Amino acid sequence: MEQMDVSNDSFDLSRYIEPYQGELKIRRLLHIANVAPDLSVQAYRLAIDNLKTSLNTKFYTDVANKAREVLGDRLGEGYEVDAALVAKNNRQSLDRLNKLEHTWNAVKREGERDPMKNALMDLAEYYIDCGDYMNALSRLNEAREHANSNRDIAFQSMKCHLFSGSMPTMKSYASRVLAAPEITELMTAQANALIGLHAMTTSHFRTATQSFLSTSFEINGRFNEAITGRDICLYGTLCALASLNRKELKAQVLGSVLWKKYLELMPICRTLLQEFCRNNFRTCFKILDSLKRVMYCDTFLHNPSSRLLNEIKQKALSQFFKPYTSVHLKDMATAFGLSENDLERHLVELIADNKLSARIDSHQRVLYARHANERITTYQQALNTGDHYIRDARCLLMRLALIQNEMQLKQGKRDDDFDMPGGRY
C-alpha cells in the first residue's frame, strides 16, 4: 500500500480516533499504521491498548505480533502479547457463551418464537464481538426462522457484513432494512449512511451524495462503531462537490436544514462549499490539500480519494471557463493556485473525455472555447426538413396510385398492415 508522510504535528491521531468504537476503530488504526510511517508507532500502540479489553483475543494476538515484527524495539515495553490477559479474556468469553447457550436451550424447550429469536440474536451479537462472523451469520439465519419480522435480523446482518468487509452484501442488507415495515428513524439513517458508504467506495459519487443527504442527524454519535457524524459530513461534502452542479449544491446542501447540522460538525466543509459556489477556486484547492491527510488516513476514503479530488478539480475548471471564449493558461493557473503544467494536464483530460468543449494553443498558451457553428446547424436542420418532406410526398403519391388502380384492401386489419400518411394499408 502506498505510504504518505503524515506527521504528528499536523495530524492529531488520538483526537481523530477517539470517537470510533469496536473493530472498525482498530482497522482504522492499522490502516493509518500502514500508510503513515510517522504515526505507525502510536497507531499500533492505540490498537493494542483498545484490544486488551476485547473478546477477540486472536485479533489482539495477531496485532501485537504484527506490531512487534514491523516496529521491533520502537514499539516499546508493555505491548507484547500478555498471555495472562488472553487467558482471562478467554475465560470471560467462555462464561458469556455458556450463559447464552443455556438461555437458548431453555427457550428452545419452551418453543416460543420471540424468546427463541432473541436468544439467537444475543448469540449472534456475542460472535460479532468475538470477530467470528461466520457463526454470527449462522445464528442470524436461524433467528430468521423464528421471527415475525426480519427487520432486526437484516440490520444485524448488515452490520456483520460491514465488519467482515463484505461491502456488496452489506449494501444488499441495508436495502432490505429500508424496505422493512415499522423501521425507526435511526435505523433508516444507519442504512442510508452505509449505502452511501458503499456507493462512495465504488466511485458512484452521485448515488453516495443522495444517500448521505438523506441521512438523518439522529445518527450522530449513535453509530460510531461504523461511521460518525463528522464522517458523513466529510464524505457527503466531497461527493456532492464531485457530482452536483453549483445550483444543486446551493439548494440541496448549503440550503438544507438537515445538512446545516452536519456542517456545524466540520465548519471547514461549509467553507469549502461556499467558496466553490463563489468560484473562489484557489481557496477551495487549498482546503482540499489540507484535507488530503484525513482522506488518505481514512479507511473508506483512501481508495476513491484520487478520483474524487480529480473530479472536483475538473468540475471547478469547467465551471471557471464556461463564461469565457479564451483564457491565458498563466492567468487560469494563478486563479487556481496550480502550476501551468498541472493545469494543462487537467485540461487535456477534460477535453479528451468530452467534458470541456475547448482546445489548447500550446504555442500561445491560451485555452480557446469551441462553439458550435450555428450556420452549419441551421443548414443541416433545413436539409433534414427537406428529406422529411420528400419522404411524406412520395408516400402520398404512392397512396394515390394505389387508389387509382383499385388496389385498396377491403378486409379487416391484418398483421401485415402498415401505416402511411393519409391512411392504413
Side-chain angles (χ1 to χ4, degrees):
M1 185 177 291
E2 185 182 356
Q3 293 186 337
M4 179 182 181
D5 182 16
V6 184
S7 67
N8 289 317
D9 293 335
S10 59
F11 188 84
D12 189 341
L13 179 57
S14 298
R15 183 179 177 185
Y16 169 78
I17 206 67
E18 183 181 2
Y20 298 101
Q21 300 170 359
E23 184 168 324
L24 283 185
K25 178 177 184 176
I26 309 303
R27 297 203 179 278
R28 283 178 178 272
L29 286 167
L30 297 180
H31 171 77
I32 292 171
N34 286 333
V35 302
D38 289 343
L39 293 174
S40 59
V41 174
Q42 185 185 5
Y44 273 122
R45 287 176 177 176
L46 286 171
I48 293 170
D49 285 338
N50 279 273
L51 282 169
K52 286 180 179 179
T53 58
S54 170
L55 295 181
N56 194 350
T57 53
K58 182 180 183 304
F59 196 24
Y60 161 71
T61 304
D62 290 345
V63 171
N65 288 334
K66 178 68 173 178
R68 184 63 66 182
E69 177 187 340
V70 172
L71 300 175
D73 294 337
R74 288 194 298 147
L75 183 62
E77 298 297 326
Y79 294 98
E80 60 278 344
V81 175
D82 187 336
L85 179 66
V86 171
K88 175 186 173 183
N89 288 345
N90 282 338
R91 285 195 300 272
Q92 291 178 349
S93 175
L94 184 60
D95 289 343
R96 180 179 167 187
L97 177 61
N98 288 336
K99 290 179 182 178
L100 292 172
E101 290 284 4
H102 180 268
T103 302
W104 162 238
N105 290 327
V107 299
K108 186 167 60 172
R109 285 193 296 270
E110 295 175 1
E112 295 185 16
R113 291 171 61 88
D114 280 345
M116 291 172 68
K117 184 204 79 170
N118 292 334
L120 288 168
M121 293 283 285
D122 290 340
L123 278 167
E125 188 69 31
Y126 163 79
Y127 284 119
I128 290 175
D129 291 342
C130 294
D132 187 351
Y133 301 114
M134 291 297 292
N135 268 323
L137 288 170
S138 176
R139 293 299 187 176
L140 288 172
N141 286 332
E142 288 184 61
R144 188 175 290 111
E145 298 174 3
H146 308 288
N148 295 320
S149 170
N150 288 331
R151 182 194 66 179
D152 295 332
I153 297 170
F155 182 76
Q156 285 297 98
S157 299
M158 174 186 75
K159 290 171 56 178
C160 191
H161 284 291
L162 171 67
F163 299 152
S164 65
S166 180
M167 297 294 283
T169 312
M170 179 274 294
K171 189 253 183 184
S172 174
Y173 275 101
S175 299
R176 295 186 195 182
V177 171
L178 290 178
E182 300 179 2
I183 185 173
T184 66
E185 182 181 358
L186 177 60
M187 293 177 72
T188 302
Q190 292 167 329
N192 275 326
L194 294 188
I195 289 174
L197 197 63
H198 174 265
M200 183 186 71
T201 56
T202 54
S203 297
H204 294 94
F205 300 129
R206 191 170 186 89
T207 301
T209 300
Q210 299 306 322
S211 294
F212 289 132
L213 292 180
S214 302
T215 301
S216 168
F217 196 71
E218 185 79 12
I219 196 177
N220 185 42
R222 302 178 66 181
F223 200 36
N224 287 3
E225 66 270 28
I227 192 170
T228 66
R230 286 172 60 87
D231 289 335
I232 294 172
C233 179
L234 179 61
Y235 300 164
T237 297
L238 294 173
C239 290
L241 287 171
S243 60
L244 303 183
N245 58 41
R246 183 162 53 177
K247 183 178 179 181
E248 290 172 328
L249 284 174
K250 289 181 179 179
Q252 299 180 31
V253 186
L254 287 171
S256 168
V257 176
L258 166 63
W259 203 250
K260 285 179 180 178
K261 297 178 182 178
Y262 282 111
L263 293 176
E264 290 295 327
L265 301 176
M266 287 192 73
I268 193 172
C269 289
R270 181 176 57 228
T271 303
L272 176 60
L273 288 163
Q274 289 172 342
E275 295 302 321
F276 190 92
C277 290
R278 293 168 184 162
N279 281 1
N280 191 353
F281 298 120
R282 187 182 184 91
T283 303
C284 287
F285 282 22
K286 285 183 179 179
I287 294 174
L288 288 173
D289 285 339
S290 71
L291 290 173
K292 278 184 180 179
R293 298 184 181 94
V294 176
M295 295 174 67
Y296 206 81
C297 288
D298 188 283
T299 313
F300 300 108
L301 266 179
H302 180 269
N303 288 334
S305 61
S306 295
R307 181 171 178 182
L308 196 56
L309 290 171
N310 197 45
E311 292 201 12
I312 293 173
K313 290 180 178 180
Q314 288 184 351
K315 186 177 289 291
L317 291 168
S318 298
Q319 186 170 306
F320 177 89
F321 183 64
K322 190 174 182 179
Y324 298 102
T325 56
S326 65
V327 176
H328 285 278
L329 294 184
K330 181 179 179 181
D331 296 336
M332 195 169 178
T334 302
F336 282 89
L338 297 172
S339 67
E340 286 191 43
N341 289 335
D342 286 342
L343 173 65
E344 187 172 2
R345 176 174 55 82
H346 284 299
L347 292 173
V348 168
E349 291 177 0
L350 277 170
I351 295 170
D353 293 339
N354 292 322
K355 295 179 180 178
L356 183 65
S357 182
R359 62 182 179 85
I360 300 173
D361 187 331
S362 299
H363 179 68
Q364 299 293 334
R365 309 297 292 167
V366 177
L367 179 68
Y368 291 101
R370 291 182 186 271
H371 295 293
N373 191 320
E374 294 184 4
R375 179 177 294 180
I376 292 177
T377 302
T378 302
Y379 286 159
Q380 188 61 51
Q381 290 175 348
L383 288 172
N384 291 339
T385 301
D387 289 340
H388 292 157
Y389 175 79
I390 292 171
R391 185 197 64 188
D392 292 345
R394 285 177 175 170
C395 289
L396 289 170
L397 290 171
M398 182 179 292
R399 177 178 181 274
L400 290 173
L402 291 171
I403 293 174
Q404 288 176 356
N405 289 278
E406 298 182 353
M407 296 180 66
Q408 288 179 282
L409 297 177
K410 302 298 185 182
Q411 62 270 34
K413 179 180 176 182
R414 299 191 309 179
D415 291 340
D416 57 351
D417 288 354
F418 58 95
D419 287 327
M420 292 180 61
R424 178 180 291 275
Y425 292 88

